[in-house]
Amino acid sequence: MLGDLAARASLWNRRRKLALFLETMRPGPETRVVDVGVGDTPFGTEPGVAATHNFFEALYPWPDRITAVSDVPLRNFAQAFPSIRTVVANGLELPFAEDEFDIAFSNAVVEHVGAREEQRRFVAELCRVAPQVFVSTPNRWFPVETHTLVPLVHWLPRRHADRAMHALRRENWDQVELLTKRDLLALFPPNVHAHAVEARVAGSKQTFQVDG
């Protein structure tokens, strides 16, 4: 029951996010988009929140213009989305030229790439391969931690939060480094800050778009 509720809430949130992406980035049928951090799963096939993984590819109007990047092979993804080019690569070192794409998109990935320095490198790579960037990540100040569905514990100092999450057997917490709005903005290279078009906190998610 909780898993079904979480899946419905996640889908509502992600549809809103796609609408925000389309409204602010204004892509067209020729726009080249790279999605960094997809999972090897079809849309709508996993339990709970995972059912909404790869919503962007499932709902985007021009999926054949997407290049999907993951650090694992994408066999199941490729079967579900045969028109989408897939690339296996580390998001900290993308195998693309500068401005090879029109837009770089990444949803709920930056909090998984490591500590602040790794997060900074990840965002810098997005900014390098595309002049426009759309990043979304869970807001640390939202009262329910979206990966574990545990309330308030993630507000504790890290060592105390780790101890509590382990006691609750929330192993998926170990690779999560949440960000506040200020933290997220600070990840972007100084040379793009002057071109920031919007930073927004919406519900449990925060998004940042850069138009370079």
Side-chain angles (χ1 to χ4, degrees):
M1 177 68 102
L2 183 59
D4 291 342
L5 181 61
R8 289 197 294 271
S10 177
L11 182 58
W12 175 81
N13 179 280
R14 295 184 179 196
R15 286 186 184 278
R16 284 180 64 210
K17 198 174 305 176
L18 179 63
L20 177 62
F21 175 87
L22 295 174
E23 174 189 346
T24 58
M25 310 309 273
R26 299 191 178 279
E30 300 304 317
T31 302
R32 301 161 301 167
V33 180
V34 60
D35 182 0
V36 181
V38 304
D40 186 33
T41 177
F43 175 76
T45 61
E46 302 297 309
V49 172
T52 62
H53 287 177
N54 301 322
F55 76 98
F56 186 72
E57 284 72 20
L59 304 177
Y60 186 65
W62 306 285
D64 59 309
R65 303 299 293 167
I66 298 173
T67 294
V69 178
S70 178
D71 60 357
V72 300
L74 294 172
R75 298 182 183 89
N76 296 314
F77 178 97
Q79 290 181 357
F81 305 106
S83 67
I84 295 176
R85 173 193 178 199
T86 61
V87 175
V88 178
N90 187 325
L92 304 182
E93 193 172 351
L94 295 171
F96 307 120
E98 184 175 342
D99 290 346
E100 185 167 332
F101 302 93
D102 300 304
I103 302 173
F105 174 91
S106 187
N107 175 66
V109 176
V110 66
E111 73 272 16
H112 294 288
V113 303
R116 288 292 183 264
E117 181 55 34
E118 286 75 24
Q119 292 176 335
R120 196 171 290 110
R121 286 173 57 196
F122 179 80
V123 171
E125 278 293 270
L126 298 180
C127 294
R128 181 182 66 82
V129 302
Q132 297 186 86
V133 176
F134 186 103
V135 179
S136 177
T137 186
N139 181 6
R140 185 175 187 274
W141 295 125
F142 190 70
V144 178
E145 203 290 303
T146 57
H147 302 86
T148 61
L149 301 182
V150 174
L152 305 181
V153 168
H154 59 292
W155 288 354
L156 296 171
R158 183 72 198 209
R159 66 182 184 280
H160 299 307
D162 288 350
R163 188 176 300 119
M165 290 294 190
H166 291 163
L168 294 169
R169 298 186 177 182
R170 297 300 200 274
E171 289 80 5
N172 55 342
W173 165 253
D174 290 344
Q175 303 302 318
V176 175
E177 189 67 40
L178 295 174
L179 300 108
T180 65
K181 177 181 177 179
R182 178 178 295 180
D183 293 334
L184 179 61
L185 293 173
L187 298 180
F188 284 81
N191 63 309
V192 304
H193 276 236
H195 303 290
V197 294
E198 186 170 13
R200 176 181 306 196
V201 175
S204 66
K205 296 284 186 176
Q206 52 194 357
T207 60
F208 186 71
Q209 302 94 46
V210 172
D211 186 350

